[in-house]
Amino acid sequence: MVTSVLPRVESLASSGIQSIPKEYIRPQEELTSIGNVFEEEKKEEGPQVPTIDLTEIESEDKEVQERCRQELKKAAMEWGVMHLVNHGISEELMDRVRKVGQKFFELPVEEKEKYANDQSSGNVQGYGSKLANNASGQLEWEDYFFHLIFPEDKRDLSIWPKIPSEYTEVTSEYARQLRALASKILSALSICLGLEEGRLEKEVGGVEELLLQLKINYYPKCPQPELALGVEAHTDISALTFILHNMVPGLQLFYQGKWVTAKCVPNSIIMHIGDTIEILSNGKFKSILHRGLVNKEKVRISWAVFCEPPKDKIILKPLPETVSETEPPLFPPRTFAQHIEHKLFRKTQDNLSN
Ligand code: OGA
Ligand code: NI
């Protein structure tokens, strides 16, 4: 077997190259849509990612609570992505999460390599970079650290960063608080669909089986940012995704045929509806196409937590309550594992026809 050792993007970026290797250059048709992200972020015209204030999501005043839910519902139906504010997770904790992750990435590459994952043996947790998965050899301008953070009994603490020493404590606390936030959101979304409060939570695995996976995305400075992507266009397969970042813009959403750049909203958490909830809701809630731009001036780091159902235990399909004569099921039944397969297959087909 031929194994080629790909350099980490961080090493490539710090080597002083002025032009990026061809594997990182996007295909011609995509290049026309990639601009300078700082310019893009300033644009005020056109649709903007909604901001949802969760202050009243558990209000005692039922009318006030309902108004809050309706805002969430509208954003979930129209966009499938939003900035959450007043979500209940403290600024201090979010700052600590950012700090420990950043400190880990500040270690020399050789140190981080001690945590390298081994995708060929199915070991996806750890430090990694994307492997080319098609003939074009297309790569993304990022390295990452990926690991399961909840439920606690399913964690493998032996592969978690040991430096900085607070990493485990801080990340564990964030995981617990995000898990509680996920429950609140799932309750509200259930009610919005006319279901019992606990229904979506149960349908995605409940406290025992819903998995929270953290991916710290590290996007080094790129000498030719208009030719590359940090993360290529995709929808998240998760039920929900929660994202923190270091206030450097990069995320773009494909809304009404155009790429919209997400603004950096202080103390917010970006939340995506993923494919899983899109399927369960029979397409009423959207899983939006998105991607990440890179830039020349600033390293961007984001902390994406994917809340995922178990791979094989649950059959995902539109819930009967979301289906009617005029709203036939839009998605055939599949397990989460089959959904991943189906997407990979479609992607390979796309590449073959390119
Ligand atoms: C992802 C993703 C966007 C970002 O990791 O799935 O879409 O802002 N990341 O880093
Ligand atoms: Ni994503």
Side-chain angles (χ1 to χ4, degrees), residues 215 217 219 231 234 236 243 251 272 290 300 302 304 306:
K215 186 176 178 213
N217 295 296
Y219 306 103
V231 53
H234 66 282
D236 288 358
I243 307 176
L251 178 65
H272 277 277
H290 57 283
R300 179 165 187 269
S302 72
F306 304 102

Side-chain angles (χ1 to χ4, degrees), residues 33-47:
S33 75
I34 305 177
N36 177 302
V37 72
F38 298 111
E39 298 300 319
E40 299 294 330
E41 195 211 5
K42 280 188 221 144
K43 291 186 178 162
E44 291 293 345
E45 74 274 18

Side-chain angles (χ1 to χ4, degrees), residues 193-223:
L193 288 174
L195 306 169
E196 266 183 55
E197 189 169 349
R199 183 71 177 281
L200 282 177
E201 167 95 42
K202 184 176 134 251
E203 296 289 345
V204 295
V207 186
E208 304 283 313
E209 300 288 347
L210 183 72
L211 308 177
L212 271 57
Q213 319 250 26
L214 171 62
K215 186 176 178 213
I216 308 179
N217 295 296
Y218 184 85
Y219 306 103
K221 294 177 202 171
C222 179

Side-chain angles (χ1 to χ4, degrees), residues 51-165:
T51 297
I52 301 302
D53 184 338
L54 290 181
T55 308
E56 308 292 357
I57 197 73
E58 290 185 317
S59 175
E60 298 286 315
D61 184 332
K62 295 298 158 202
E63 224 170 275
V64 172
Q65 182 186 32
E66 183 55 24
R67 217 175 302 141
C68 181
R69 265 195 221 118
Q70 289 300 321
E71 298 282 318
L72 174 68
K73 178 181 182 182
K74 187 162 180 274
M77 292 180 73
E78 283 180 13
W79 282 82
V81 64
M82 61 203 82
H83 299 284
L84 299 178
V85 295
N86 299 315
H87 39 65
I89 299 185
S90 74
E91 206 181 316
E92 193 213 340
L93 180 58
M94 295 196 300
D95 280 342
R96 290 171 76 206
V97 169
R98 285 187 276 243
K99 191 166 284 159
V100 294
Q102 182 180 330
K103 276 197 179 157
F104 174 75
F105 270 95
E106 281 168 1
L107 293 174
V109 170
E110 309 81 76
E111 279 301 308
K112 292 187 293 242
E113 292 293 2
K114 294 179 183 165
Y115 300 85
N117 64 9
D118 181 8
Q119 297 175 55
S120 60
S121 67
N123 187 4
V124 293
Q125 296 198 73
Y127 178 55
S129 319
K130 181 170 173 168
L131 299 182
N133 62 359
N134 58 63
S136 72
Q138 181 75 63
L139 295 174
E140 297 170 322
W141 197 261
E142 74 153 343
D143 304 317
Y144 61 79
F145 197 97
F146 182 74
H147 62 134
L148 184 145
I149 58 172
F150 203 92
E152 299 192 344
D153 61 345
K154 293 193 165 65
R155 301 176 304 182
D156 178 0
L157 290 175
S158 73
I159 62 107
W160 287 36
K162 290 177 181 55
I163 305 172
S165 58

Side-chain angles (χ1 to χ4, degrees), residues 145-299:
F145 197 97
F146 182 74
H147 62 134
L148 184 145
I149 58 172
F150 203 92
E152 299 192 344
D153 61 345
K154 293 193 165 65
R155 301 176 304 182
D156 178 0
L157 290 175
S158 73
I159 62 107
W160 287 36
K162 290 177 181 55
I163 305 172
S165 58
E166 326 81 77
Y167 184 93
T168 298
E169 179 206 324
V170 171
T171 306
S172 299
E173 181 56 24
Y174 182 60
R176 282 190 285 273
Q177 295 200 20
L178 260 192
R179 183 63 186 82
L181 179 59
S183 282
K184 280 185 212 172
I185 298 283
L186 291 169
S187 296
L189 293 177
S190 298
I191 293 170
C192 294
L193 288 174
L195 306 169
E196 266 183 55
E197 189 169 349
R199 183 71 177 281
L200 282 177
E201 167 95 42
K202 184 176 134 251
E203 296 289 345
V204 295
V207 186
E208 304 283 313
E209 300 288 347
L210 183 72
L211 308 177
L212 271 57
Q213 319 250 26
L214 171 62
K215 186 176 178 213
I216 308 179
N217 295 296
Y218 184 85
Y219 306 103
K221 294 177 202 171
C222 179
Q224 295 180 298
E226 265 108 349
L227 300 185
L229 285 177
V231 53
E232 64 188 25
H234 66 282
T235 62
D236 288 358
I237 53 181
S238 60
L240 298 172
T241 306
F242 295 94
I243 307 176
L244 282 185
H245 57 72
N246 65 341
M247 298 302 277
V248 174
L251 178 65
Q252 291 192 318
L253 301 309
F254 196 65
Y255 183 76
Q256 294 183 345
K258 291 206 180 77
W259 286 104
V260 175
T261 305
K263 303 250 187 289
C264 296
V265 177
N267 304 322
S268 73
I269 298 178
I270 294 170
M271 184 182 79
H272 277 277
I273 301 286
D275 299 348
T276 299
I277 296 286
E278 182 177 67
I279 294 167
L280 293 172
S281 71
N282 198 24
K284 290 180 173 61
F285 298 140
K286 306 291 181 308
S287 180
I288 197 172
L289 193 68
H290 57 283
R291 68 180 187 183
L293 300 193
V294 290
N295 75 82
K296 248 186 217 212
E297 291 156 48
K298 291 179 176 166
V299 170

